[in-house]
Amino acid sequence: MARLSGNAFQAKVAEEGHSVHWRQNLVVCLLGSFTTIIAMTLLLPFLPLYVEQLGVTDHAAIVQWSGVAYGATFFSAALTAPLWGQLGDRYGRKSMLIRASLGMAVSMSLIGMAQNVWQLVGLRLFAGIAGGYASGSVILVATQTPKQRSGWALGMLSSGVMAGNLVGPLIGGALPQLFGIRQTFLLAGGVIFIAFLATTFLIREEARPRREKPRKGEGGWAAIPDKRPILAMFATGLLLMVATMSIEPIITVYVAQLVPDASRVTMVSGLAMSAAALGAILSASRLGKLADRIGHWTVIVGCLSVSAVLLVPQAFVTAGWQLVGLRFLMGLALGGLLPCIASVIRHNVPDRFAGNVLGISTSAQYAGQVIGPLAGGFIGGHVGMRAVFLGTAVLMAVGAACNWLARPVSRDHLSGR
């Protein structure tokens, strides 16, 4: 390939379905996703304080409005992710990242100027509609990276996203004390605007050859020859988020039963929630690279199975450090799922529809982020907290079995490629 002329080389690359700039694109998407996720999650520690500043005085109302404002972004993002994926297939994935970064920069800055809680909720809804940089990055990296390196590349990107989720609340706990809450939002908008500039000038999306308009019955979902793997990935993405988020509503109460010193409950709870994210950060790229070698389906089934096993002892721990350790090990296992989900979709969907399908996959994951806490809180309150862990373990085991049955049986797909 090195002997080809420039135009011939570009044509060959386009035919193979990846970009000569895929490494540069990965770096920009990784840094952009990391910074935008930090900006979007840093409000967690002080969101109730901001709600109170906006005129809500009743304690119960503050908690209620904080939950509504936080969940609004996920709700609107889940509804619009397939649309942005479809538009990216049509007009280019880079254009969707430019739209998302600029939209998020504007929305974050406006949130810092809100005058009442209704405006806050409305702007959080707008942030979900206009945003989606991290999910857009997954689509661009998945479609512009060589297929044999997609697992590793998506693993690196997943590590950046999870690192942003981990670092964001930590920074959010410090910045308002230094600059003030409103100024923190404006600062976050400025950081996202830098990501917008980097995306605009540094990402190089390979131009795709023009395709003839598909005939009736040959486009979109009908163009996917075997739909079982895609449906399995939708369910796996939803299941992953349910498993990781189901503990959120009960973690502090559960830890309080394990830690005799009441002053340490909050710290241990934070460590337990952060441990899974840290484990996933450390393992995502390594498991993605392993999946490129031994097959994505093998890693998915293995990750789900190991997670199911690790959830059982979490229901019977007797000390806080045991829960933290088990959550860390579970994070190590779960870290390979997101890159493998995107890789399997990439390998089983025509490139011209990949963005749309990956957008639906993102919506399924957002749905899991909503269902997980609701189900965990309900089961923990009415059945018992141990039932949350055991029930999630059963779901993960069923997910592993379903993925094993849904995997393609042809020789070309047994490896996940």
Side-chain angles (χ1 to χ4, degrees), residues 75-93 95-97 99-100 128-132 135-136 139 352-364 366:
F75 175 74
S76 57
L79 295 178
T80 56
L83 172 63
W84 296 135
Q86 186 176 16
L87 292 177
D89 290 336
R90 184 176 302 177
Y91 301 110
R93 285 72 188 242
S95 63
M96 291 299 102
L97 291 182
R99 173 203 56 77
I129 295 172
S135 57
I139 296 174
R352 62 188 183 276
F353 306 121
N356 188 18
V357 178
L358 285 167
I360 298 174
S361 177
T362 299
S363 290
Y366 281 132

Side-chain angles (χ1 to χ4, degrees), residues 243-291:
T244 55
M245 299 296 290
S246 61
I247 192 178
E248 298 289 330
I250 68 167
I251 183 64
T252 302
V253 179
Y254 190 55
V255 169
Q257 298 177 358
L258 305 174
V259 179
D261 186 357
S263 63
R264 297 178 60 245
V265 169
T266 303
M267 182 189 71
V268 176
S269 300
L271 288 174
M273 287 187 283
S274 301
L278 179 60
I281 291 169
L282 296 176
S283 68
S285 62
R286 291 174 175 83
L287 287 174
K289 187 175 182 180
L290 177 65

Side-chain angles (χ1 to χ4, degrees), residues 165-304:
N165 279 304
L166 187 63
V167 174
L170 297 177
I171 295 178
L175 288 183
Q177 301 177 25
L178 298 175
F179 304 104
I181 291 179
R182 292 186 182 274
Q183 289 74 17
T184 297
F185 283 115
L186 295 175
L187 180 61
V191 171
I192 300 177
F193 187 76
I194 294 175
F196 158 74
L197 295 176
T199 300
T200 303
F201 297 108
L202 296 180
I203 285 184
R204 299 287 184 269
E205 182 180 10
E206 202 67 43
R208 289 164 293 162
R210 294 181 63 87
R211 302 177 186 271
E212 295 182 1
K213 184 177 181 181
R215 289 175 293 181
K216 186 176 181 180
E218 293 183 352
W221 192 251
I224 304 173
D226 187 357
K227 300 173 179 59
R228 289 180 305 165
I230 308 304
L231 294 174
M233 292 305 99
F234 293 166
T236 301
L238 186 147
L239 185 61
L240 167 63
M241 293 305 171
V242 169
T244 55
M245 299 296 290
S246 61
I247 192 178
E248 298 289 330
I250 68 167
I251 183 64
T252 302
V253 179
Y254 190 55
V255 169
Q257 298 177 358
L258 305 174
V259 179
D261 186 357
S263 63
R264 297 178 60 245
V265 169
T266 303
M267 182 189 71
V268 176
S269 300
L271 288 174
M273 287 187 283
S274 301
L278 179 60
I281 291 169
L282 296 176
S283 68
S285 62
R286 291 174 175 83
L287 287 174
K289 187 175 182 180
L290 177 65
D292 288 335
R293 187 168 71 249
I294 69 173
H296 302 104
W297 286 95
T298 302
V299 172
I300 288 173
V301 173
C303 288
L304 290 172

Side-chain angles (χ1 to χ4, degrees), residues 17 57 130 213 230 259 300 324 329-330 383 395 413:
T57 56
K213 184 177 181 181
I230 308 304
V259 179
I300 288 173
V324 172
L329 294 176
M330 184 174 167
V383 182
L395 286 177
H413 287 94

